[in-house]
């Protein structure tokens, strides 16, 4: 069985770890031997202190490779901050984005390889030789795509000020309302090698509960990806990142507000109307109503490894059920 998933950072990575745990302990040999391909959001990427940083790729790589800081959910475990302290002593900006020492090594390897003309796909494969994440990890594109955010400018009524997504998210905690969110470069980006093939050739496509705007939403803006999802023969099943009208962690509500979409499980499903076959929502949430969309209520909290594996299993179960219906029809 070929499983392809689209993923952002922390939410995507946690779900994928549960998916692998579910697959590897499954009694069903098709699941036990399943191969997983992950298409990672790269629109959070940025360059700081001359280093190319890919937060979502690294969150998935470190989480699945056993190097993640479990408490924060991002960055390396047992991290130290010698480099960050020295940069601060020089007065180097930005000071609001802290790079750990171990993490810096990852960015040094990546930056050096990119400077030598290697693609982000090649860099990612090289880094994964160490981490062995147990999935094929693909960037959504080898072309640079960066999410920028227009904020209302308090000094200029009606005017806006543009910042990189990371500044809005990390420095401002998305507390300043976004007027517009744009994945700069997305329209001209080409899907990375293997991305469209992984969607077309999948037996199951999963959408983990990643941010629908700045994680899944940006992957969907890479030309060809939405079409591949709509055209794949595989059932596409997603997990709502929203429970009871709020994101489980983080500020996805601020992203949804910027695109005029309510923070509900049903409204998020609506963003995927052209390709979504199955949707998992929490007990008590209103289901989206659309002919052909199958909705199930399941425990959606990835509170511990067991619950996360069960959630991933439930998403796969729904996909298999829909696949059978497809075949019967
Ligand atoms: P990021 O790139 O690090 O922001 O991570 P993602 O985009 O992959 O995931 C962020 C989303 O994960 C947020 O919108 C959260 O609502 C969602 N999320 C986090 N933890 C959970 C959980 O336990 N259950 C569900 N259903 N969603 C979660
Ligand atoms: Ca992210």
């Amino acid at each position: 069985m070929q499983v392809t998933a689209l993923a952002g950072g922390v939410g995507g990575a946690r779900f994928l770890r549960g998916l692998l745990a579910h697959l590897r302990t499954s009694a069903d040999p098709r699941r036990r031997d399943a191969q997983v391909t992950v298409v990672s959001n790269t629109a959070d990427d940025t360059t700081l202190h001359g280093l190319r940083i890919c937060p979502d790729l690294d969150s998935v790589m470190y989480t699945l490779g056993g190097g993640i800081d479990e408490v924060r959910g991002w960055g390396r475990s047992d991290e130290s901050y010698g480099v960050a302290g020295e940069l601060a002593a020089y007065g180097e900006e930005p000071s609001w984005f802290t790079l750990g020492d171990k993490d810096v090594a990852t960015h040094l390897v990546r930056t050096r390889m990119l400077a030598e003309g290697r693609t982000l796909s090649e860099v990612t494969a090289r880094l994964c030789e160490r981490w062995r994440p147990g999935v094929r990890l693909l960037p959504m594109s080898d072309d640079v795509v960066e999410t920028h955010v227009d904020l209302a400018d308090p000094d200029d009524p009606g005017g806006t000020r543009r910042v990189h997504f990371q500044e809005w998210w990390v420095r401002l905690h998305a507390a300043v309302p976004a007027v517009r969110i744009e994945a700069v470069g997305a329209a001209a980006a080409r899907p990375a090698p293997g991305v469209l093939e992984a969607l077309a050739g999948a037996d199951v496509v999963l959408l983990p509960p990643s941010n629908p705007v700045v994680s899944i939403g940006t992957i969907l803006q890479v030309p060809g990806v939405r079409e591949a999802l709509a055209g794949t023969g595989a059932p596409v099943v997603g997990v709502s990142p929203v429970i009871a009208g709020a994101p489980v962690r983080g500020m996805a509500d601020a992203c949804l507000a910027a695109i005029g979409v309510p923070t509900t499980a049903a409204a998020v499903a609506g963003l995927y109307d052209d390709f979504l076959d199955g949707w998992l929502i929490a007990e008590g949430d209103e289901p989206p109503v659309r002919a052909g969309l199958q909705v199930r209520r399941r425990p959606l909290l990835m509170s511990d490894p067991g619950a996360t594996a069960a959630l991933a299993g439930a998403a796969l179960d729904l996909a298999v059920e829909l696949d059978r219906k497809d075949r019967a029809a």
Side-chain angles (χ1 to χ4, degrees):
M1 173 162 33
Q2 301 283 342
V3 180
T4 300
L6 310 187
V10 178
R14 290 226 164 127
F15 178 85
L16 291 167
R17 185 162 61 179
L19 175 66
L20 289 183
H22 167 79
L23 292 171
R24 298 309 166 232
T25 57
S26 171
D28 173 355
R30 260 192 100 211
R31 293 197 186 189
R32 235 176 12 249
D33 300 335
Q35 294 187 323
V36 180
T37 300
V38 176
V39 178
S40 171
N41 173 47
T42 58
D44 289 9
D45 296 7
T46 186
T47 301
L48 300 173
H49 310 292
L51 299 176
R52 191 65 183 160
I53 297 165
C54 302
D56 287 0
L57 274 171
D58 288 351
S59 288
V60 171
M61 186 173 77
Y62 293 156
T63 299
L64 300 185
I68 198 77
D69 181 309
E70 292 290 344
V71 177
R72 287 184 311 199
W74 52 271
R76 287 295 321 280
S77 51
D78 302 315
E79 189 55 290
S80 57
Y81 296 92
V83 172
E86 291 298 300
L87 288 169
Y90 284 113
E92 287 293 310
E93 293 293 339
S95 52
W96 45 264
F97 197 102
T98 310
L99 295 175
D101 296 337
K102 291 181 179 175
D103 202 26
V104 164
T106 304
H107 309 320
L108 284 170
V109 174
R110 176 185 293 124
T111 305
R112 191 257 311 157
M113 288 184 72
L114 290 171
E116 288 171 0
R118 314 300 291 266
T119 64
L120 185 58
S121 296
E122 291 172 322
V123 173
T124 304
R126 165 83 182 94
L127 296 171
C128 285
E129 283 174 20
R130 172 184 177 195
W131 291 105
R132 302 184 174 280
V135 301
R136 193 160 63 112
L137 180 58
L138 306 177
M140 66 188 198
S141 176
D142 284 333
D143 299 320
V144 173
V145 179
E146 284 191 359
T147 300
H148 292 184
V149 181
D150 289 335
L151 309 175
D153 187 344
D155 301 326
D156 171 18
T160 59
R161 175 170 78 89
R162 178 161 276 218
V163 297
H164 189 288
F165 169 73
Q166 294 297 349
E167 182 167 353
W168 184 54
W169 202 250
V170 178
R171 177 164 170 251
L172 302 171
H173 304 288
V176 180
V179 178
R180 189 172 128 81
I181 297 179
E182 182 185 353
V184 178
R190 293 153 299 177
V195 167
L196 298 185
E197 294 80 356
L199 294 170
D203 296 303
V204 171
V205 175
L206 296 179
L207 302 188
S210 285
N211 187 306
V213 182
V214 294
S215 293
I216 305 278
T218 44
I219 301 173
L220 295 177
Q221 286 180 53
V222 176
V225 168
R226 266 202 113 98
E227 294 77 4
L229 282 161
T232 184
V236 181
V237 170
V239 178
S240 174
V242 170
I243 299 179
V248 180
R249 310 162 102 228
M251 299 84 72
D253 46 338
C255 302
L256 287 163
I259 64 167
V261 171
T263 303
T264 65
V268 173
L271 295 170
Y272 310 141
D273 255 350
D274 47 327
F275 58 79
L276 193 67
D277 301 306
W279 189 234
L280 299 187
I281 64 172
E283 207 63 54
D285 271 340
E286 279 299 311
V289 182
R290 175 181 39 96
L293 178 64
Q294 294 287 327
V295 180
R296 300 284 182 276
R297 290 198 169 93
R298 294 286 179 273
L300 292 198
L301 278 183
M302 301 189 286
S303 41
D304 59 70
T308 311
L311 174 60
L316 264 186
D317 289 346
L318 178 54
V320 168
E321 182 192 325
L322 297 177
D323 196 33
R324 281 211 201 92
K325 278 197 190 136
D326 265 8
R327 287 197 188 153

